[in-house]
Amino acid sequence: KTFSDLAMWPFNFLPSGEPAAPKGGGSSGGASSSRARTGTTTEAPPSLSPRVVERASRLLRALPQVSDAVRSLRTFRDDGPKTWNDLRHGLHDLRRDAAALEVLPLTAEHFIDDTWEFILALMKASPKFSRQIMEALYVLLLSPRWSGGILRAKDRGRLTLWKLSSSSSEGEGVSPVSLTLGLLRLGVPADEFLPAAEVVETAPGFVEELFARSTELEDEQREDLEISSFSEAWRAADVPKRQHSEFPADFLQRQTSEPPIRECISMGSLTDANNAQAASISAASAKIVGDGEERRPECRKDVVDRLLDLACEAFECAAGRLEPMLSGYAGEQNIALSARAKVLDFRQRQCNLQAQLVVCGPCQAGKTSLTYSLVGFAALPPSVPSMVITRWVHTPSLAVPRLTMPEQLAGLLQGWSERLEADAALASASEPQAAGAGLRLVTGEAVEGIDAVAAALEHIHHIVHRGRQLGVLKAQELEQLCRPNMSLSVEVAFAALESLEEHLADAGTLSLVDLPSPDSDWLWEQQDIANLCRRALQEADGALVVVDSCRHGAPRWLMDSLKDVLNQERLLRREDIWVVANRIDQQPEFFSEGGVAEACDHVKKQQEDNFRGLILGQDHVIPAAARLSLLALYGLRRIEGQPSASLWNTFGKQPWFSQVCATLFGVRWVAHVRSMDRAKWRQSLRELQCLGQVTGPLASSVLKTAYVRMLPRSVARVMSDLAQLISQFLASLRALEEGGTAAIDVDRLRVVTLQYMQDVKERLRHKICAPTEKDVRRLAQGKCGAPVVFEAQDAAELNEKFFAVLAREALAVWHPFFTQSIAECCDEAGKAHQKWQRSIDHHLMKGGVDAATKQKILLDSKNLRLVSDPEGLPPPLEADQRDRLVAEHASKVPVTSAKQLFMPTQKSYIVTPEVVCAFLLDLSGAWVKAGLSQIERLCLVPIHKNCEDMLQNVEELHSHRLAGMIPPKVRRSSFNFAFARRLEEVLPQIASFHAQQGEDLSDAVEAEEAERCEKFCNEVRSVLREIHDPSLTSAKALAC
């Protein structure tokens, strides 16, 4: 077979004559099988064309980063998104040339296994990349060489394909079922990556499609699937009942296949009112964009990624040419490397782009019901007010919602839960099912599935609310919940964004942040909740302000928060604020003929007056009855199959069902619904959803606006920051070459030097190690625990000798303190001097000093010499000072005289413990004082002299500049700045590339832009190679 024939393997066929895929899927079998497949080709592998080699360059650059991330958890956490972005772009570049993966030259074969391990780890840690991961898997499975890596991978269950939905834009090949069939063709056993119980329970739709398409497998592969535990679990399940289950976990995946309202039924004014509201939102957004105030950036995210990578390469090249101009002091910053670090920050920011819509408003206004309806989360909201920040993250292709929380929040809730359980009043209010979900959360496990997530949210909010009700929790304790990092995160595919264009979804992530319900009476401290709302609005790209349309006026605290944030001119703008006038179903005219339109017009005018000056107009007011829409969505999920009498009897006792039916059919709803079939039931619920106004078109208009405006705005901000960085870098280069005209403030430098010396002195004082008074008293007790008496004729000599020996022994004990102090002080002084050198470097750069002069000044500052071996230093206390203390204290010892007949008078010296303690305390004081003097001589004096020399050089430079003379011994021609001319040509082009395409770009950026970007990158890299190796420029000129 040729490589073109292999291009669709393993999806369509296995090459003839190929050995059967291994059944066990083990490492050794998988590897040999992979080599066997590669060896079945009868034609020599084609050589890679230059075009394909260029396309493979991004993949080859990404593979070492992938290996680094696999081998370091910290690298995986910090750089994982950027690494994945590089890897997926590299694989996407080779999508049309998948055969090139077979002969792609790799510097290490472990890159293939590392790629699979990285993908498996990323799939578990960040489901938001699931759709992109599916596309990457599709490319990898096209290559026998690379697909063999999954056979050697461990814990393949991390590839949770059953939790994903299909990617409609890429065709059938990247659906979860198609990828699963591809893995089965490879020989990966079903039981190793499809946990039977979990898959059968949570994704029956996935299993049904898998077995329906199992005929695409070879006979032996199909037999392996049939005898697997996964297949047995499916057969053991009651399939007919499951098809009409009340709780289908993949409802979010299946509901998008429902025909649009306008295609299945005609509801006249209801549909017209809803579509008119959606069109109004879209028109308002289009008007803002059309006015030119916020235009979509003329390049897409992947093009910006390439430009950022190119800027990094340019700064790396410049760093090499600036290296000879550095003075070499420790910690010196190369301005090119500093600029590169900032570009990497831009790159990281670009990888984590996120548009954040904050849902805020007064208590019981319907924020959570609105949020559930917008994201398509078909569950009832918690029965208590929202007490914890909940962040809903749009995760394309994720069919099963997933709830997580940070460890700090989990520990806090766990502690509060235990305090509540200890309270007797909680016993009657506990719900076992909800409690189980919540307690599982605080152990660090993610909760998955609509019902499990809804139960966990109910339990979490219940813990906090019930704790405040019973007085177990104080209002001050809730301040911890007002911190931005203390939030729940629910990852789910927003149903309204199912049809969102792929390039928009790839631009970043959309989050809806449901803030806690403020209630200043007793739940929260008013200041805490106000600060939480204000902080969330400061970080928001847009805001949905939910108010009760039946209440006149807007809360004062909410109005003040919005005004403050708008006045600060941060991310939030007036055009990004939408007022949701909820509960229009409580308006008197709502249920009259034509009442929906009248109610919408009424509340629009009312809220425009309430929020005048904060929103642009009536187009930014959204009338809604969020609870009606949510009840309809919930009913569609709960009753999937054909209704029956037993089913109606079961639901007839549930409040949500009674409320739905009473709203639709009046008080005599019981007799009406018993004879209703499935089609009529679903049509009635869609009418109810349309009454609530929060339907697919409206939700799509609200959420898509964030992608169309807010995320591109973030991309444009990255490019603007890059342009500013390049401008500053080029200005610094010109200053290094030619010098500047700015004056150097020498007087200011002297003041800074004085402050710096005081700071160093204080730092060294804290580094000094000395015996404490307690240590000295303990030593004295050990040397003299009881009085010592000297009575011999030489008692005076013995007395003095006792103190001399005691002094030498004490100083020997304390000397290690001195050497340790010297070592630590010298180390601290060296660090402080490096900081001072950086300060001088900064002032010289600010003063416009050229590179040669700056290097000379900073080189002189490197002459600092500090003690390198403190062990060889003499004791700090000199011998004569020690002897004076010995003589002084020996003379203070009490003496008694005893006269004897015919014998000289006998003197007795009684050395008491108190005398010894006093002597050692005086000795230690003198030793510490001498040590401080020694440290100042060894550490501070050299630094002071070095600083004075440096300041003198700066003063000389300043005086020469004032006189218009070139400083002696400095020649500006000593450095070659020819490379700077080339950089001044290409760097501004990188920053301005996005503006060269014109102003009429469509949302789907044409492929020509990527080709143009690729051509531009090649041209810039050619210039960078010439800068790196000047001989290339000479050879090029000679050839011309």
Side-chain angles (χ1 to χ4, degrees):
K1 303 298 178 183
T2 64
F3 276 84
S4 60
D5 294 328
L6 283 173
M8 288 305 297
W9 184 93
F11 293 105
N12 291 341
F13 64 92
L14 290 175
S16 59
E18 178 185 351
K23 299 180 182 180
S27 300
S28 60
S32 61
S33 176
S34 177
R35 287 191 294 270
R37 294 190 193 98
T38 307
T40 58
T41 58
T42 56
E43 299 179 9
S47 59
L48 296 179
S49 65
R51 181 179 180 83
V52 174
V53 171
E54 182 62 32
R55 284 185 173 273
S57 60
R58 281 210 285 185
L59 177 60
L60 293 175
R61 289 197 299 269
L63 290 177
Q65 303 174 30
V66 170
S67 295
D68 293 340
V70 168
R71 284 160 177 75
S72 170
L73 180 59
R74 181 174 181 179
T75 302
F76 179 82
R77 289 175 177 173
D78 295 343
D79 302 333
K82 176 185 178 301
T83 301
W84 167 245
N85 201 47
D86 295 339
L87 176 63
R88 75 179 183 90
H89 281 314
L91 290 173
H92 189 271
D93 290 343
L94 293 177
R95 186 182 180 91
R96 299 178 183 177
D97 303 290
L101 289 171
E102 295 299 306
V103 292
L104 191 67
L106 300 179
T107 57
E109 282 299 320
H110 65 77
F111 283 159
I112 295 178
D113 293 344
D114 290 346
T115 298
W116 280 100
E117 175 59 27
F118 179 77
I119 289 176
L120 292 172
L122 191 70
M123 189 72 167
K124 182 177 181 180
S126 301
K128 64 180 180 180
F129 298 121
S130 56
R131 184 184 57 78
Q132 299 172 357
I133 290 176
M134 283 199 299
E135 297 169 5
L137 290 177
Y138 177 78
V139 177
L140 291 175
L141 292 177
L142 293 176
S143 165
R145 177 191 182 191
W146 285 74
S147 60
I150 189 63
L151 299 174
R152 300 184 291 272
K154 299 178 181 179
D155 193 9
R156 286 172 278 204
R158 291 175 289 177
L159 199 64
T160 52
L161 293 173
W162 69 90
K163 297 179 181 178
L164 310 181
S165 58
S166 300
S167 177
S168 58
S169 61
E170 292 293 338
E172 187 180 359
V174 293
S175 71
V177 173
S178 297
L179 293 174
T180 302
L181 293 173
L183 294 174
L184 293 174
R185 290 190 186 97
L186 278 174
V188 181
D191 293 336
E192 289 195 8
F193 70 103
L194 296 174
E198 184 177 356
V199 179
V200 170
E201 178 66 25
T202 61
F206 170 85
V207 183
E208 290 174 6
E209 183 181 355
L210 177 62
F211 280 98
R213 294 182 56 184
S214 61
T215 55
E216 302 175 19
L217 298 172
E218 297 292 328
D219 294 339
E220 187 174 356
Q221 298 161 354
R222 190 165 57 253
E223 291 175 4
D224 292 341
L225 177 62
E226 290 293 334
I227 64 175
S228 65
S229 301
F230 167 70
S231 181
E232 293 177 3
W234 175 245
R235 288 192 296 269
D238 192 348
V239 179
K241 284 186 179 180
R242 185 171 300 280
Q243 291 175 347
H244 305 292
S245 170
E246 300 174 8
F247 305 99
D250 57 346
F251 173 77
L252 290 180
Q253 176 180 349
R254 284 194 262 169
Q255 68 169 336
T256 56
S257 62
E258 295 282 351
I261 295 176
R262 60 180 180 275
E263 295 180 6
C264 62
I265 54 177
S266 175
M267 293 181 288
S269 61
L270 295 181
T271 305
D272 293 342
N274 188 262
N275 290 338
Q277 179 62 45
S280 175
I281 297 174
S282 299
S285 174
K287 180 180 179 182
I288 295 170
V289 176
D291 290 342
E293 183 177 349
E294 193 61 51
R295 189 177 302 280
R296 186 183 185 280
E298 284 78 18
C299 62
R300 57 188 183 188
K301 184 170 177 287
D302 59 336
V303 173
V304 176
D305 290 338
R306 291 194 179 193
L307 296 176
L308 292 176
D309 290 341
L310 190 63
C312 280
E313 296 177 27
F315 286 129
E316 285 178 0
C317 179
R321 301 308 304 271
L322 289 173
E323 192 69 29
M325 306 179 194
L326 302 179
S327 58
Y329 69 85
E332 183 176 11
Q333 292 292 324
N334 187 318
I335 60 171
L337 293 181
S338 299
R340 178 182 178 274
K342 292 181 180 179
V343 175
L344 292 178
D345 289 340
F346 298 160
R347 190 74 160 82
Q348 189 71 15
R349 199 170 84 196
Q350 178 82 347
C351 292
N352 297 316
L353 285 181
Q354 186 174 103
Q356 184 169 287
L357 278 174
V358 170
V359 184
C360 60
C363 186
Q364 300 298 313
K367 300 188 305 298
T368 303
S369 295
L370 175 70
T371 303
Y372 281 22
S373 299
L374 286 174
V375 305
F377 187 74
L380 296 179
S383 58
V384 297
S386 299
M387 303 299 295
V388 183
I389 304 172
T390 307
R391 187 182 303 274
W392 297 80
V393 183
H394 175 48
T395 309
S397 301
L398 185 64
V400 180
R402 182 173 182 263
L403 171 64
T404 56
M405 69 167 66
E407 294 181 2
Q408 187 178 0
L409 177 58
L412 184 66
L413 292 175
Q414 180 68 42
W416 289 352
S417 178
E418 292 172 355
R419 289 165 58 182
L420 282 172
E421 289 175 359
D423 192 281
L426 185 64
S428 60
S430 299
E431 297 182 11
Q433 181 180 358
L439 291 177
R440 184 160 56 117
L441 248 183
V442 297
T443 61
E445 299 180 13
V447 173
E448 297 180 333
I450 295 179
D451 295 303
V453 170
L457 290 173
E458 170 75 27
H459 177 70
I460 291 168
H461 294 306
H462 179 80
I463 288 176
V464 185
H465 187 266
R466 186 66 172 169
R468 288 292 295 121
Q469 273 189 327
L470 299 177
V472 176
L473 302 178
K474 305 300 182 184
Q476 294 80 0
E477 294 183 84
L478 268 59
E479 187 274 334
Q480 302 177 73
L481 298 179
C482 297
R483 302 169 186 170
N485 62 322
M486 300 291 275
S487 62
L488 305 172
S489 178
V490 183
E491 295 168 301
V492 60
F494 293 0
L497 295 179
E498 168 68 18
S499 59
L500 187 69
E501 294 90 337
E502 178 188 344
H503 73 274
L504 286 178
D506 281 346
T509 304
L510 175 64
S511 296
L512 259 67
V513 182
D514 185 8
L515 295 182
S517 300
D519 189 339
S520 58
D521 293 337
W522 58 276
L523 280 180
W524 296 86
E525 290 283 352
Q526 186 173 5
Q527 187 63 33
D528 291 342
I529 200 68
N531 290 338
L532 168 63
C533 182
R534 186 174 290 106
R535 188 184 303 116
L537 290 173
Q538 288 173 347
E539 299 174 355
D541 297 278
L544 295 175
V545 182
V546 186
V547 296
D548 189 341
S549 62
C550 297
R551 297 180 182 179
H552 300 288
R556 176 52 52 190
W557 65 266
L558 183 58
M559 302 288 287
D560 292 341
S561 297
L562 290 171
K563 289 178 181 177
D564 290 346
V565 174
L566 291 176
N567 290 335
Q568 293 175 11
E569 297 184 353
R570 300 176 75 108
L571 297 177
L572 190 65
R573 307 180 184 183
R574 288 181 62 199
E575 60 267 23
D576 300 324
I577 300 177
W578 304 84
V579 176
V580 180
N582 198 22
R583 294 187 175 180
I584 60 172
D585 54 313
Q586 304 297 317
Q587 294 287 336
E589 66 270 21
F590 182 78
F591 287 100
S592 62
E593 184 178 359
V596 175
E598 292 180 10
C600 291
D601 292 339
H602 171 70
V603 299
K604 278 190 171 186
K605 295 177 182 178
Q606 181 187 69
Q607 298 306 324
E608 181 188 17
D609 292 338
N610 291 339
F611 288 88
R612 189 174 302 277
L614 296 178
I615 60 176
L616 295 183
Q618 288 189 23
D619 291 338
H620 280 251
V621 178
I622 305 174
R627 182 165 180 82
L628 294 185
S629 293
L630 182 58
L631 286 174
L633 191 64
Y634 186 61
L636 288 170
R637 181 176 76 89
R638 290 294 298 270
I639 304 178
E640 273 279 291
Q642 184 66 32
S644 61
S646 61
L647 199 62
W648 294 131
N649 291 335
T650 300
F651 287 111
K653 300 177 182 179
Q654 298 188 12
W656 73 268
F657 184 77
S658 303
Q659 185 178 357
V660 168
C661 295
T663 303
L664 288 170
F665 311 116
V667 294
R668 300 179 180 273
W669 62 267
V670 177
H672 191 92
V673 299
R674 287 187 181 277
S675 59
M676 186 179 296
D677 59 9
R678 180 176 183 271
K680 181 61 177 176
W681 167 251
R682 298 185 72 79
Q683 177 178 336
S684 299
L685 288 180
R686 292 188 176 278
E687 291 177 358
L688 182 64
Q689 187 178 18
C690 209
L691 274 174
Q693 295 291 291
V694 190
T695 57
L698 185 139
S700 178
S701 298
V702 172
L703 298 177
K704 189 174 179 179
T705 299
Y707 274 108
V708 174
R709 287 215 319 267
M710 300 174 191
L711 284 171
R713 183 188 300 164
S714 299
V715 175
R717 192 158 49 242
V718 168
M719 293 303 297
S720 175
D721 292 344
L722 177 62
Q724 184 177 3
L725 175 65
I726 288 176
S727 176
Q728 294 173 351
F729 173 75
L730 293 178
S732 299
L733 270 186
R734 286 191 291 271
L736 286 177
E737 179 182 10
E738 304 171 359
T741 58
I744 302 176
D745 192 347
V746 181
D747 294 334
R748 173 61 181 166
L749 280 180
R750 286 203 170 275
V751 173
V752 172
T753 303
L754 181 61
Q755 296 174 348
Y756 159 72
M757 292 301 301
Q758 293 293 335
D759 179 63
V760 173
K761 192 171 184 178
E762 189 64 26
R763 287 189 180 190
L764 298 188
R765 188 181 302 277
H766 291 293
K767 290 294 181 180
I768 294 174
C769 301
T772 63
E773 182 179 347
K774 186 176 180 180
D775 295 332
V776 175
R777 293 186 181 277
R778 188 183 300 112
L779 178 62
Q781 180 67 24
K783 296 296 182 181
C784 183
V788 178
V789 180
F790 299 105
E791 297 180 334
Q793 292 183 357
D794 55 351
E797 182 180 351
L798 292 175
N799 177 52
E800 188 170 348
K801 189 174 183 180
F802 172 81
F803 281 95
V805 172
L806 183 60
R808 285 194 294 269
E809 291 177 352
L811 294 177
V813 172
W814 297 336
H815 189 70
F817 286 102
F818 173 70
T819 57
Q820 180 182 353
S821 298
I822 289 292
E824 293 185 4
C825 287
C826 287
D827 182 62
E828 186 68 24
K831 293 178 181 178
H833 187 64
Q834 294 171 13
K835 181 180 178 181
W836 169 245
Q837 287 176 310
R838 290 195 295 270
S839 298
I840 291 293
D841 196 345
H842 169 74
H843 280 282
L844 294 177
M845 287 287 293
K846 189 176 178 180
V849 177
D850 62 274
T853 306
K854 183 168 74 74
Q855 186 186 59
K856 178 185 181 299
I857 294 175
L858 292 175
L859 282 175
D860 291 341
S861 72
K862 290 180 61 179
N863 296 328
L864 179 66
R865 294 291 182 268
L866 298 174
V867 177
S868 59
D869 183 19
E871 296 293 337
L873 293 175
L877 190 63
E878 296 181 357
D880 57 348
Q881 189 176 1
R882 179 200 63 199
D883 293 341
R884 283 196 300 270
L885 285 173
V886 167
E888 178 184 349
H889 282 269
S891 63
K892 294 180 181 179
V893 174
V895 182
T896 59
S897 301
K899 295 184 178 181
Q900 298 179 1
L901 188 62
F902 306 115
M903 296 288 294
T905 301
Q906 185 175 2
K907 293 183 179 181
S908 298
Y909 291 84
I910 304 174
V911 182
T912 62
E914 292 76 14
V915 173
V916 172
C917 185
F919 168 65
L920 291 180
L921 286 173
D922 287 350
L923 183 66
S924 67
W927 180 85
V928 169
K929 186 177 180 180
L932 289 173
S933 176
Q934 191 83 326
I935 288 173
E936 182 174 351
R937 182 180 64 83
L938 295 174
C939 299
L940 286 178
V941 172
I943 292 180
H944 185 267
K945 184 177 183 305
N946 190 275
C947 290
E948 286 295 328
D949 293 342
M950 189 186 303
L951 285 176
Q952 184 177 357
N953 289 333
V954 173
E955 285 182 340
E956 291 179 0
L957 168 65
H958 184 60
S959 61
H960 282 97
R961 290 181 63 178
L962 291 177
M965 301 180 345
I966 299 178
K969 302 181 181 179
V970 174
R971 294 192 301 271
R972 292 179 180 175
S973 59
S974 57
F975 295 128
N976 183 5
F977 277 89
F979 74 95
R981 305 284 79 76
R982 307 298 304 276
L983 288 178
E984 288 178 347
E985 297 173 2
V986 297
L987 283 178
Q989 296 180 32
I990 297 176
S992 61
F993 177 86
H994 70 293
Q996 298 173 0
Q997 186 75 345
E999 298 183 351
D1000 56 348
L1001 285 178
S1002 61
D1003 287 338
V1005 180
E1006 298 292 339
E1008 287 76 7
E1009 182 185 353
E1011 296 293 335
R1012 188 171 66 88
C1013 179
E1014 185 176 348
K1015 180 180 178 181
F1016 172 72
C1017 291
N1018 292 335
E1019 293 174 355
V1020 174
R1021 290 192 177 100
S1022 176
V1023 174
L1024 296 180
R1025 283 192 292 269
E1026 294 175 4
I1027 293 176
H1028 180 72
D1029 187 1
S1031 61
L1032 295 178
T1033 306
S1034 302
K1036 185 177 179 180
L1038 184 61
C1040 292

